[in-house]
């Protein structure tokens, strides 16, 4: 048993929020298995990134939420390859405020509260990776589980998540590799999932005021509670395991590409769009900012270290910059 615990400890970036003993004691419960999965995913991704950027190290911050739970934030800043890479785990529980519950109800969840409060548990792993080189795309992923107990003791649960890519310049080979890897993960469970969640991703990461997508998509889903808890968990696990293979080969391929000051400038402008989406539309960010006692630094970890907003910037027609804009305005099918 101790050997098993030690093996887990080696794979994690820090001790889990619920404690290893407790997780192993309740290891048949889905909540514990999900917490182990997000801890393992954090470790896998951090190790894969650190291996590509040997001069840099992850700062590992363990934090507690006084209302219940806590998390582990791992952030690498100002490396040779990554300007900022963050991989966050949070496991929080307590009572959901009316405000947060209302936000959920607006998504069609009817929830019966006791004295205006709902006991909840939310956990997930989320990451945004902003590389230095404009030829290496930004990548984001997030996998999460939510559970709410209603006044009569019934539990509502759902999973959400996704993985998506935001290149500064379009590279078709990279786009195909990324989408194919995610499609394979989905196809193991149901052939209908990839097309459905790819479309959901294109629709979700839409910057309305710009009329363009945040990136070239991937997969995205939310509020998934069928066919069964076990089946959805296995699907989420496949998606989490696809993160390293869908992205790391792309970083390796381009992290030593040469680039011009103009290309770096274009990357900074695209980063500005990333910020616009995250602050104006992203539901996770909004939910985090509305949750009492949430850790602002962890919520805003997704923002790049640097970005630019230039007045009236328009790239020349038929340039490489115009090419990516075309795909952001009209999403493509990368795998068929």
């Amino acid at each position: 048993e101790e050997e098993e615990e030690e093996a887990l400890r080696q794979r994690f970036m820090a001790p889990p929020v619920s404690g290893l003993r407790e997780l192993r004691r309740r290891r048949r419960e889905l909540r514990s298995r999900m917490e182990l999965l997000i801890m393992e995913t954090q470790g896998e991704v951090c190790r894969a990134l650190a291996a590509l950027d040997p001069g840099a190290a992850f700062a590992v911050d363990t934090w507690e939420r006084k209302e219940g739970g806590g998390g582990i934030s791992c952030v690498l800043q100002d490396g040779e390859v990554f300007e900022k890479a963050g991989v966050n785990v949070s496991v929080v529980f307590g009572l959901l405020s009316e405000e947060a519950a209302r936000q959920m109800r607006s998504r069609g969840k009817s929830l019966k509260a006791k004295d205006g409060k709902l006991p909840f548990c939310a956990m997930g792993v989320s990451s945004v990776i902003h590389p230095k080189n404009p030829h290496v795309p930004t990548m984001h992923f997030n996998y999460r589980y939510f559970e709410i107990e209603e006044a009569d003791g019934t539990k509502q649960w759902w999973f959400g998540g996704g993985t998506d890519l935001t290149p500064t310049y379009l590279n078709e080979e990279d786009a195909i590799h990324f989408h194919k890897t995610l499609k394979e993960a989905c196809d193991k469970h149901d052939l209908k999932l990839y097309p459905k969640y790819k479309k959901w991703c294109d629709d979700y990461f839409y910057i309305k005021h710009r009329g363009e997508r945040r990136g070239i998509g991937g997969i995205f889903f939310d509020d998934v509670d069928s066919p069964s808890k076990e089946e959805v968990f296995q699907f989420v696990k496949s998606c989490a395991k696809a993160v390293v293979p869908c992205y790391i080969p792309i970083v390796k391929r381009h992290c030593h590409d040469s680039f011009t000051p103009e290309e770096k400038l274009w990357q900074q402008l695209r980063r500005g769009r990333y910020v616009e989406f995250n602050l104006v539309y992203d539901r996770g960010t909004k939910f985090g900012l509305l949750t009492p006692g949430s850790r602002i630094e962890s919520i805003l970890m997704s923002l790049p270290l640097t970005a630019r907003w230039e007045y009236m910037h328009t790239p020349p027609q038929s340039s490489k910059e115009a090419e990516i804009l075309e795909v952001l305005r009209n999403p493509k099918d990368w795998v068929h």
Side-chain angles (χ1 to χ4, degrees), residues 83-210:
E83 190 174 284
K84 187 171 169 200
V87 192
N88 231 341
V89 157
S90 68
V91 179
V92 300
F93 43 85
L95 296 169
L96 204 57
S97 69
E98 273 293 356
E99 175 64 52
R102 224 190 341 270
Q103 239 206 324
M104 291 187 168
R105 286 200 186 92
S106 71
R107 286 152 45 186
K109 293 267 173 210
S110 61
L111 303 164
K112 297 181 283 294
K114 194 163 40 194
D115 313 323
K117 293 283 184 198
L118 290 155
F120 81 102
C121 158
M123 61 177 72
V125 56
S126 67
S127 170
V128 177
I129 298 152
H130 292 293
K132 278 208 158 141
N133 193 312
H135 299 295
V136 184
T138 282
M139 195 265 288
H140 157 260
F141 76 88
N142 170 307
Y143 290 99
R144 57 192 180 276
Y145 172 69
F146 211 97
E147 201 176 85
I148 276 186
E149 197 177 320
E150 296 191 76
D152 59 4
T154 54
K155 280 187 180 163
Q156 289 208 22
W157 58 269
W158 59 92
F159 287 90
T163 303
D164 61 279
L165 197 69
T166 306
T168 299
Y169 288 97
L170 188 63
N171 178 306
E172 298 232 343
E173 211 180 308
D174 295 344
I176 292 164
H177 164 81
F178 185 79
H179 277 271
K180 268 202 169 139
T181 311
L182 295 178
K183 182 181 185 293
E184 279 162 22
C186 294
D187 286 355
K188 277 189 221 156
H189 300 270
D190 185 339
L191 297 178
K192 292 200 280 291
L193 295 178
Y194 171 77
K196 180 181 172 184
Y197 294 159
K198 187 239 184 237
K199 184 185 181 315
W200 198 337
C201 187
D202 288 332
D203 292 344
Y204 179 76
F205 291 106
Y206 182 58
I207 310 173
K208 273 200 211 65
H209 60 268
R210 298 281 189 185

